[in-house]
Amino acid sequence: MFYELSAHAMYGKPYAEHLRHVLTDAWLSGFSRGFARVTDESRAERLARLCLAVGRGILFEMALTGDREAADSAIDEFTAMTRQALEPDR
């Protein structure tokens, strides 16, 4: 249902206009605020968009394949990569 309603928002259906805001601005602002605690604002916004895109992609893949183990593994790997990228330079 998530992807079906997202498609309606992408096509500009009037009844899905609010969903377009929720699926972009609301989610991105939450992720951005979290990342802004550990990096500058510009990078926080890029990381927020990246995390949202990766999360949606993995959810889509899991919906298609049903492979929860692969999805969990991919999320674990992405989380480790993100943490490493945010570590202070040594």
Side-chain angles (χ1 to χ4, degrees):
M1 172 90 67
F2 172 82
Y3 291 102
E4 290 176 25
L5 291 173
S6 296
H8 291 226
M10 286 182 236
Y11 285 121
K13 301 290 185 182
Y15 55 84
E17 184 61 35
H18 179 70
L19 185 59
R20 178 185 293 260
H21 165 72
V22 170
L23 293 176
T24 55
D25 300 339
W27 287 23
L28 285 173
S29 66
F31 277 115
S32 293
R33 282 192 308 273
F35 282 120
R37 294 177 181 177
V38 295
T39 192
D40 64 82
E41 187 176 328
S42 176
R43 187 166 188 220
E45 289 175 8
R46 290 192 310 274
L47 287 170
R49 190 168 303 277
L50 177 62
C51 287
L52 189 55
V54 168
R56 287 178 177 167
I58 290 173
L59 282 174
F60 188 74
E61 178 70 19
M62 190 175 74
L64 288 174
T65 66
D67 192 343
R68 173 70 183 262
E69 186 177 328
D72 287 347
S73 179
I75 287 294
D76 289 344
E77 182 69 23
F78 181 73
T79 300
M81 290 168 48
T82 303
R83 285 183 176 148
Q84 184 178 8
L86 289 169
E87 284 181 359
D89 292 332
R90 294 176 184 203

